[in-house]
Each structure stands twice: as C-alpha cells, then as structure tokens.
Amino acid sequence: GDSVTQMEGPVTLSEEAFLTINCTYTATGYPSLFWYVQYPGEGLQLLLKATKADDKGSNKGFEATYRKETTSFHLEKGSVQVSDSAVYFCALRFSGNTPLVFGKGTRLSVIA
Amino acid sequence: GAVVSQHPSWVICKSGTSVKIECRSLDFQATTMFWYRQFPKQSLMLMATSNEGSKATYEQGVEKDKFLINHASLTLSTLTVTSAHPEDSSFYICSARGLADGNSPLHFGNGTRLTVT
C-alpha cells in the first residue's frame, strides 16, 4: 500500500541553523504531497503542499519540492527559529474520498 | 478558509463511561470525514472514513462497536467511544473533505484529548 517514510527524530538545532527533514513516499500513481505541522498541544496545520512533479511548495520560509524521480518531498528552511519547534508530518493523498497517509512525524526542537 | 470545529478539545472520563466527540464543518459541506487517532509522540493512524448518510468504513483493527461513528449531515460527524477504558486515552482528530476538494488538503479539527481514568 501507499506509505510515507520520514527521517527519525528528534532533531535539535540551534537558532538560525539550516533545517532538512527528509521524506520519501511509496505510492501507485502520483499523489499530492503535503507537510503538516503540529505545535505542542494543538491539532494539525497545513504547512505547504505540492500537487505534481517539480512543484515547489513554500510557506513561512519552509520549502519542499516534489521529486518524482526520487519519490521525495524533503522539507527545508534556511534559518530556523525557536518558534519552529514542533512535530512535522509528511503526508500524501490522492484525489477523491481518500484519507491522508502520514509519515511518523519528526519532532524538531530549536534552541536559542 | 474552510474551518473544522472539533468539540470538546479535552475530556476526562471514568472507565466504563461513553464519550462523544463532535466534528463540524463550519463553512462548507463535508461529504467525507476521516477520524484519526494519535498516540503520544506517534503519527496519526486512520481509524475510519465516514460518508454522509452511509455507514463508516473502519480500518483493520479498529473495533466498530467501540468507536461508533455517525455522519448524519453534511456538516456534522460524531465519534462515540463506548465503555471507555484507560487504553482508549489518546488524541483524536477529525478531518473533512468538501464536495469540490479534489486532491486538496483536508481540513483538520484541533483534536480532542481523551483521558480515561
């Protein structure tokens, strides 16, 4: 079945460091890809998305590019802040009445 | 933007009682709602998919008699945890899909933290 694999956490970075969280997927076909963020004690918020190959999603300084050839959607940010500390989930979804398939999540802690 | 309201945000109940969680789409018609469960420091596991006016489809390993899902209208779905036990303590999150959403992201509620004592 379809699946998403994320790098294991936790990831601890100093403020202003460069962030990469790897995400690869396995799917039959070409799903849409998403990154969601979950701040402590809260629900999920959509961070960014890409719906087809070579699309780049971006939001709040985060970016991810849909790479069909490597089936990847790695999340990057050039300079993280303490407020970016959260759990990040990579997910895929096909159109229609289909749910999101989530990776296991990567916890990011940014220290001042 | 599309808003999904989930209520309550947290609940503490005694073992053996039942708890109902509501998920409402506030400004769109949710033809499909998905219920997820999240254990501490783990990912979201899909429990069931419900389409308005029909029975929910449960994922393997999810007890349908324990987790009752009702999707009686295009704006409301409910999850009832029946005869709750401490192992049912978890974070439950609903998400909704509208009629014209295609492959757009799903809209999520803020989740309900259930603690069974």
Side-chain angles (χ1 to χ4, degrees):
Chain A
D2 304 330
S3 64
V4 175
T5 302
Q6 284 180 244
M7 62 186 289
E8 294 278 337
V11 174
T12 303
L13 296 174
S14 297
E15 210 165 20
E16 299 183 4
F18 185 86
L19 169 71
T20 299
I21 300 178
N22 289 338
C23 171
T24 57
Y25 67 90
T26 302
T28 50
Y30 303 106
S32 293
L33 302 175
F34 308 91
W35 277 99
Y36 283 84
V37 58
Q38 185 178 33
Y39 297 102
E42 297 185 13
L44 290 175
Q45 299 177 27
L46 176 67
L47 181 60
L48 54 85
K49 68 173 183 176
T51 57
K52 61 182 188 297
D54 299 326
D55 269 2
K56 177 187 283 188
S58 61
N59 185 26
K60 300 180 181 179
F62 290 90
E63 292 183 341
T65 301
Y66 192 142
R67 301 287 188 200
K68 185 176 66 173
E69 62 276 13
T70 54
T71 61
S72 65
F73 194 53
H74 305 320
L75 182 68
E76 297 183 336
K77 186 174 185 180
S79 176
V80 294
Q81 305 300 312
V82 173
S83 56
D84 294 327
S85 298
V87 180
Y88 292 83
F89 292 94
C90 185
L92 67 81
R93 178 171 178 254
F94 290 94
S95 59
N97 285 339
T98 58
L100 282 158
V101 176
F102 287 93
K104 291 187 175 181
T106 303
R107 182 175 299 277
L108 170 66
S109 295
V110 181
I111 54 178
Chain B
V3 176
V4 173
S5 173
Q6 190 172 338
H7 179 82
S9 55
W10 61 270
V11 58
I12 301 172
C13 71
K14 292 185 177 180
S15 188
T17 60
S18 295
V19 173
K20 180 183 285 188
I21 301 170
E22 291 187 349
C23 183
R24 292 181 185 274
S25 57
L26 297 186
D27 55 0
F28 68 101
Q29 293 183 322
T31 52
T32 305
M33 287 198 178
F34 306 96
W35 286 93
Y36 291 86
R37 180 176 180 176
Q38 184 181 31
F39 292 99
K41 298 185 179 181
Q42 294 192 28
S43 189
L44 289 85
M45 303 302 297
L46 179 67
M47 298 175 67
T49 302
S50 73
N51 293 298
E52 185 265 336
S54 61
K55 289 184 178 180
T57 302
Y58 290 81
E59 295 299 299
Q60 193 172 11
V62 178
E63 298 175 59
K64 60 181 66 176
D65 294 331
K66 179 163 191 62
F67 298 100
L68 299 178
I69 291 173
N70 183 279
H71 191 167
S73 77
L74 284 171
T75 58
L76 174 65
S77 176
T78 60
L79 166 66
T80 302
V81 183
T82 62
S83 187
H85 288 94
E87 57 265 30
D88 299 325
S89 299
S90 192
F91 193 58
Y92 295 86
I93 305 177
C94 69
S95 66
R97 173 182 178 269
L99 274 168
D101 273 355
N103 60 357
S104 297
L106 299 174
H107 312 292
F108 282 86
N110 279 333
T112 298
R113 185 163 302 283
L114 169 64
T115 302
V116 184
T117 60

